[in-house]
Amino acid sequence: MCKVTSLLPALAALLLLTACGSEQAGTPGAATPASGTAVTTQPVDGVRITSVTIPSATPTPNSDGFSVHADPLPTGDSGISAAYEVTNNGTEALTYTILFDFTTDTGEVMGNSHETVRSVGPGATERGTVRLGVLAPGASRVTRVKVSRVTKVPAAEAPPASGECPPSGIRLTTDDGDAAMGLRVVGLHLENCGKRDYSLDGYPLLELLDKDLSPVQGVRIVHGSGGISTGTGFDEARPLVLKSGESALSGLMWRNTTESGAAVNVPYVRVRAEQGADPVTVTPHLDLGTTGKLAVRAWTRPPK
């Protein structure tokens, strides 16, 4: 706790109080604390920030003993971090992917970070720390950390961690996607990380799921480009045999055009590389607009 001695003149006391800073509880999903301060926030889909560390400048008296100035923070890592906890209130083990935003007092995002917390059992709570790292040049001062988005999938269907090979010997992941002029494309990547050859012939099998992991109705899945766009390579299909270490590429394509009717958003897609393959649930967040159509590309070899 910061203390001010009664022997100091009133002006010096005021300056020292200003340098000490203040502490306050965060609003739901956010916090504006002093360094290392515990906060109280409302959980977002089971994720709650419990404390935030924001290094403050060091107050240094001048030779007159009264003036106070702030020393600059060291270059490199910002030192800004937040401790959080994840509580699974469901009935099966879940893997969580959490987007944290680091913001100014006015809510402007200065940086963000994704954290993955794997295999949180029913009723269990896991704890971790997310760090901002290096602030971009010219960034404003970060004073808040909030939970921006949470996705959670059954632990048995979560995409594998980097460098991990599932028991099936097939690693299926997605990329961050691409967008241009209303056209959206997300890549599906399949790697044979096992020891045996793996044959593919045709298209991955898809199940579209809502936020509760229930089936989404009213969306037509089409093989190939489906007239959504041309020159994308979506209409090329041929059998493949992947040897150990080789990869294949598929993808999802849609337009988020909004006209009459209700827009459709699909946060989760359950993917099987082929009939009978183990499912992997990915989170491409498909904003399909009112088109009601999603194109899927046949498995093909990635460009050299």
Side-chain angles (χ1 to χ4, degrees):
M1 178 177 179
C2 188
K3 297 182 179 180
V4 179
T5 174
S6 61
L7 299 179
L8 288 175
L11 176 60
L14 174 62
L15 288 169
L16 284 174
L17 280 172
T18 302
C20 289
S22 62
E23 300 179 8
Q24 67 183 59
T27 56
T32 312
S35 177
T37 302
V39 297
T40 302
T41 64
Q42 295 297 320
V44 178
D45 286 338
V47 180
R48 185 172 70 90
I49 294 174
T50 57
S51 69
V52 175
T53 297
I54 300 177
S56 58
T58 304
T60 305
N62 283 339
S63 56
D64 59 11
F66 299 109
S67 300
V68 177
H69 72 276
D71 291 337
L73 292 173
T75 58
D77 194 294
S78 65
I80 299 171
S81 64
Y84 63 89
E85 62 182 26
V86 180
T87 300
N88 180 2
N89 295 314
T91 58
E92 64 177 330
L94 298 172
T95 288
Y96 292 73
T97 300
I98 311 151
L99 176 63
F100 293 93
D101 284 346
F102 296 80
T103 76
T104 64
D105 274 334
T106 60
E108 185 179 3
V109 178
M110 294 292 105
N112 48 48
S113 180
H114 282 91
E115 294 286 311
T116 298
V117 183
R118 296 184 175 275
S119 300
V120 183
T125 295
E126 300 287 343
R127 295 174 176 83
T129 301
V130 59
R131 306 181 189 279
L132 173 58
V134 180
L135 270 172
S140 301
R141 179 169 174 77
V142 170
T143 58
R144 296 172 180 260
V145 185
K146 70 175 184 178
V147 178
S148 179
R149 187 174 68 201
V150 177
T151 57
K152 48 191 177 182
V153 302
E157 298 181 11
S162 178
E164 175 185 309
C165 187
S168 65
I170 297 297
R171 181 188 293 117
L172 195 155
T173 58
T174 61
D175 58 31
D176 293 332
D178 191 15
M181 299 297 290
L183 183 67
R184 304 289 191 267
V185 179
V186 169
L188 299 176
H189 302 268
L190 188 71
E191 179 188 355
N192 182 359
C193 55
K195 298 180 179 179
R196 299 180 179 179
D197 292 353
Y198 193 82
S199 298
L200 293 168
D201 187 5
Y203 299 81
L205 305 179
L206 308 179
E207 294 179 73
L208 308 185
L209 307 174
D210 64 16
K211 62 182 181 65
D212 297 319
L213 298 176
S214 298
V216 172
Q217 306 297 330
V219 177
R220 184 161 58 99
I221 299 173
V222 296
H223 288 174
S225 61
I228 294 176
S229 184
T230 59
T232 58
F234 268 55
D235 295 306
E236 300 173 5
R238 60 177 59 90
L240 299 176
V241 176
L242 301 182
K243 296 186 179 301
S244 180
E246 292 185 335
S247 299
L249 173 68
S250 177
L252 311 177
M253 180 171 62
W254 71 99
R255 289 192 179 275
N256 64 344
T257 306
T258 301
E259 297 176 353
S260 60
V264 177
N265 292 291
V266 180
Y268 301 97
V269 179
R270 180 176 286 131
V271 183
R272 288 177 172 84
E274 60 178 349
Q275 188 71 42
D278 292 339
V280 177
T281 299
V282 298
T283 55
H285 298 280
L286 310 180
D287 50 341
L288 300 179
T290 57
T291 60
K293 185 163 63 173
L294 175 68
V296 56
R297 181 179 186 175
W299 290 114
T300 185
R301 293 191 183 278
K304 295 181 179 181

